[in-house]
């Protein structure tokens, strides 16, 4: 009888390349969690949204209600939530539409934002706030390092002599549809 030829599979990419993509994608998933935090901050700061149930770790942050005790504090928390929401939503859209791949400037802006939060969570007097340290620097630091992987990974590959490839993993300039 006639035997169908197996479908040709793409050759496996080197592990180092796979790690770069995986790290960035992990960073995007961590960043996407910011949407949940945003809604939680709004539940504390915006009286009209106080019906939203608080979940840990946000419910454990004793400084949140303290900040929300003044109108100015409520406004700051609401704005903080809005920035978190936009940041997280952008990550969700990249994961959904770009399959976890995105231009380097996304990586740079998200990654730097997360690293800055990690630094602020680790320094006085912010680190003294309940629940900020050591979770804050760990979570935001991990997200920052992962999100910046498209920038530091090629430099590391160059330094270690590993093959440097594009983010798409294709060496040729042939458009995808012809491969």
């Amino acid at each position: 009888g006639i035997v169908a030829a197996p479908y040709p599979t793409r050759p496996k990419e080197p592990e180092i390349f796979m790690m770069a993509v995986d790290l960035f994608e992990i960073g995007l998933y961590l960043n996407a969690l910011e949407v949940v935090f945003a809604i939680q901050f709004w539940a504390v700061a915006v009286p009209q949204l106080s019906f939203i149930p608080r979940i840990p770790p946000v419910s454990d942050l004793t400084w949140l209600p303290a900040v929300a005790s003044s109108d100015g504090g409520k406004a700051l928390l609401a704005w903080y939530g809005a920035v978190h929401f936009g940041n997280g939503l952008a990550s969700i859209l990249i994961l959904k539409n770009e399959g976890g791949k995105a231009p380097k400037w996304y990586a740079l802006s998200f990654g730097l934002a997360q690293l800055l939060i990690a630094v602020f969570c680790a320094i006085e007097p912010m680190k003294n706030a309940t629940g900020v340290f050591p979770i804050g620097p760990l979570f935001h630091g991990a997200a920052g390092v992962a999100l910046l992987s498209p920038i530091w990974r090629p430099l590391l590959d160059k330094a270690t002599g590993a093959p440097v490839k594009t983010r798409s993993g294709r060496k040729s300039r042939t458009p995808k549809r012809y491969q």
Side-chain angles (χ1 to χ4, degrees):
I2 299 162
V3 179
Y7 184 78
T9 54
R10 276 219 353 249
K12 258 194 82 61
E13 274 115 15
E15 282 310 300
I16 283 182
F17 165 71
M18 290 304 290
M19 184 180 161
V21 173
D22 291 348
L23 269 180
F24 185 63
E25 209 165 319
I26 289 165
L28 286 172
Y29 279 110
L30 288 174
N31 215 39
L33 285 175
E34 300 287 24
V35 168
V36 178
F37 290 121
I39 293 165
Q40 287 291 292
F41 292 141
W42 289 336
V44 175
V46 183
Q48 294 85 340
L49 299 175
S50 59
F51 63 88
I52 298 168
R54 313 272 201 311
I55 54 166
V58 179
S59 57
D60 304 332
L61 303 175
T62 52
W63 54 269
L64 267 181
V67 172
S69 64
S70 73
D71 290 346
K74 281 187 178 68
L76 278 175
L77 280 177
W79 298 336
Y80 181 56
V83 173
H84 269 59
F85 192 81
N87 195 4
L89 188 63
S91 282
I92 291 167
L93 293 173
I94 292 167
L95 284 164
K96 187 181 172 297
N97 299 311
E98 313 294 329
K101 290 179 178 65
K104 279 187 179 148
W105 56 83
Y106 283 122
L108 194 60
S109 59
F110 291 160
L112 284 178
Q114 289 286 13
L115 282 186
L116 282 171
I117 296 171
V119 168
F120 290 135
C121 285
I123 60 175
E124 307 282 347
M126 289 76 95
K127 86 182 256 192
N128 301 331
T130 317
V132 169
F133 190 84
I135 310 294
L138 288 172
F139 172 78
H140 294 288
V145 169
L147 286 166
L148 287 169
S149 67
I151 291 151
W152 61 259
R153 218 36 239 201
L155 301 173
L156 189 68
D157 290 348
K158 215 174 268 173
T160 57
V164 177
K165 294 180 92 178
T166 60
R167 293 255 329 128
S168 68
R170 286 190 183 78
K171 274 184 180 151
S172 74
R173 302 298 302 141
T174 319
K176 189 176 181 177
R177 62 183 175 277
Y178 300 124
Q179 291 197 342

